[in-house]
Amino acid sequence: MKEKFSFTKDYTAIIKGVAILLMLFHHFFGFPEWYVEGVSYIGIPFRVNTAEYVIGQFGHICVAIFAFLTGYGMFFSYKSGNTLKTTLKKLVTFLISYWLILFGVVIPINLALGKTDITLSLILQNMVAYDCSLVTFGWYVRFYIEIMLTLPIFYKLMSKKAYITIPIFLLLPALINYRLGQVPGTSMLVIRLVFFTMEYFLWLPCVLVGLCFARYKLFDKIGILFEKLKKYELPVCVILMLILMYLRAYKEDTVGVMFSFDVIYVPIFIFLCCRIISVLPGYVKSAFSLLGNHSMNIWFLHSLFFSRTAILMKYAFAPKISVLIILWVILLCLPLSTALNSVSALIFKKRR
């Protein structure tokens, strides 16, 4: 591992690929209680459960990875242009991609399977993820809208000194959530709005730390420290990765709904992951990069297997063997994602 570490766009795509793979393990093997009757898989026995279940528990870190990468990437987007224009462009691109999945895939499949309770009100609520009954894991749409509309403010509030900015970005959201947790639930609307707000402040620090890592070039500084390990760098990275996976899978990952330890785990995980993957064959990197480029589409498309229709879940688990299930789901999602990206490209080409 002699090359100097640099968190490039190529590594961003690779880490997105790792994150979406972790998400698939998280959803398919981390929640046995979600399985409909007749669904099961053949996994690797590990302690009282399976290795897939443990990876699935660790896999929840995927949300924080995407949040971190949003903040990290937006820093460079803001540096190269008008923050408001850049924000709106990113948001529109994201929403159009999501709506293509909602209207082009999710709603037609639900209708084909005999779902008759899809109303205009339900569709409108799902378009902004106020309701997620159509796209089960679509809540991130709601969070992304909130983040993109507020991130320019945090970008302008950043201090030139990391030791001032980072503690504020970590602690302020936790304090706000602490106060929100004391708001009495007087109505379902108030309860839902408070929950959405607490959800925003729970994951906001991951986005802001990503912003800080880009602003203060912290990955480069960590890389310089690890370069001193020389030939021991790889084994140290592997050991630290195993420790991190143990902590994330077996220990509490949040303090209530106030603070997520993922804000600490994620930058460490990303750095270690990049260093370990750097020594793997090129085709492995290409595979992760391919997944990364389709990660958001796969996120929303695989929601179909956890919708209100048991037959789709049984179809996903048809290969029975855990690794084959994941590969099967990816093979089902990738062609759809490619087609959706082509339609999205045509839309934006016409807009230009």
Side-chain angles (χ1 to χ4, degrees):
M1 304 180 75
K2 295 179 180 179
E3 74 277 11
K4 184 177 180 181
F5 177 74
S6 179
F7 191 57
T8 62
K9 284 187 177 181
D10 290 338
Y11 272 118
T12 299
I14 288 170
I15 293 300
K16 284 182 179 179
V18 173
I20 199 62
L21 192 61
L22 287 173
M23 180 179 289
L24 293 177
F25 270 87
H26 179 58
H27 288 152
F28 279 93
F29 307 125
F31 298 94
E33 64 273 19
W34 288 359
Y35 297 168
V36 299
E37 187 177 352
V39 164
S40 62
Y41 70 93
I42 299 170
I44 302 170
F46 185 80
R47 300 179 72 171
V48 297
N49 215 297
T50 64
E52 291 83 358
Y53 175 80
V54 175
I55 295 172
Q57 294 303 302
F58 170 73
H60 190 223
I61 198 174
C62 61
V63 173
I65 293 173
F66 282 111
F68 179 96
L69 292 177
T70 296
Y72 192 93
M74 288 309 296
F75 173 81
F76 296 104
S77 297
Y78 289 152
K79 277 189 70 177
S80 61
N82 181 283
T83 54
L84 179 59
K85 183 179 178 181
T86 301
T87 294
L88 293 177
K89 184 178 178 180
K90 292 275 187 181
L91 185 55
V92 169
T93 303
F94 177 87
L95 286 175
I96 287 178
S97 297
Y98 169 69
W99 291 338
L100 282 173
I101 293 172
L102 178 64
F103 289 102
V105 181
V106 175
I107 292 177
I109 287 180
N110 273 271
L111 292 174
L113 293 172
K115 300 297 180 182
T116 58
D117 57 346
I118 300 177
T119 63
L120 177 60
S121 174
L122 183 67
I123 292 172
L124 292 174
Q125 291 179 51
N126 274 263
M127 284 180 69
V128 292
Y130 181 79
D131 180 281
C132 296
S133 58
L134 293 178
V135 184
T136 310
F137 307 129
W139 69 269
Y140 195 79
V141 174
R142 175 175 67 238
F143 175 71
Y144 191 82
I145 293 171
E146 296 165 347
I147 280 296
M148 295 308 291
L149 293 177
T150 55
L151 196 56
I153 299 172
F154 290 104
Y155 175 75
K156 292 183 178 179
L157 288 176
M158 288 183 72
S159 165
K160 293 182 179 179
K161 299 178 180 179
Y163 65 85
I164 295 175
T165 302
I166 295 177
I168 293 175
F169 281 178
L170 286 176
L171 297 176
L172 186 59
L175 291 173
I176 293 172
N177 263 1
Y178 174 74
R179 296 301 300 170
L180 285 171
Q182 299 174 334
V183 175
T186 54
S187 69
M188 185 54 68
L189 177 62
V190 172
I191 291 172
R192 181 169 281 197
L193 290 177
V194 169
F195 172 77
F196 289 167
T197 307
M198 294 183 76
E199 172 189 77
Y200 166 78
F201 283 111
L202 178 64
W203 298 111
L204 173 64
C206 293
V207 180
L208 298 182
V209 167
L211 198 70
C212 291
F213 261 70
R215 166 66 177 82
Y216 305 115
K217 300 180 180 178
L218 297 182
F219 277 133
D220 292 346
K221 293 174 182 177
I222 295 173
I224 291 171
L225 291 176
F226 271 72
E227 283 174 14
K228 296 177 182 178
L229 296 173
K230 298 181 180 178
K231 64 180 181 180
Y232 299 107
E233 183 180 356
L234 181 58
V236 168
C237 286
V238 172
I239 292 169
L240 289 176
M241 177 67 81
L242 292 174
I243 293 172
L244 189 150
M245 292 181 71
Y246 170 80
L247 291 173
R248 185 59 180 77
Y250 289 104
K251 302 298 180 181
E252 290 293 331
D253 58 313
T254 62
V255 178
V257 290
M258 292 185 297
F259 181 80
S260 171
F261 291 109
D262 282 346
V263 74
I264 299 169
Y265 294 150
V266 161
I268 299 172
F269 172 80
I270 289 175
F271 177 82
L272 296 176
C273 198
C274 288
R275 298 309 285 151
I276 293 170
I277 288 176
S278 70
V279 302
L280 297 180
Y283 65 86
V284 175
K285 298 174 188 175
S286 297
F288 279 125
S289 184
L290 175 65
L291 285 177
N293 291 331
H294 291 271
S295 56
M296 278 296 142
N297 285 347
I298 294 174
W299 183 332
F300 301 132
L301 286 170
H302 90 280
S303 291
L304 282 164
F305 302 113
F306 298 89
S307 64
R308 300 167 292 170
T309 306
I311 189 172
L312 291 178
M313 181 178 285
K314 291 180 178 178
Y315 192 64
F317 278 83
K320 288 296 182 181
I321 299 173
S322 60
V323 175
L324 295 181
I325 290 169
I326 298 299
L327 290 174
W328 173 234
V329 169
I330 290 171
L331 288 174
L332 290 172
C333 291
L334 275 179
L336 272 174
S337 178
T338 302
L340 289 164
N341 285 346
S342 297
V343 174
S344 180
L346 285 174
I347 291 172
F348 286 104
K349 186 176 181 180
K350 288 180 179 179
R351 288 178 74 245
R352 285 194 294 268

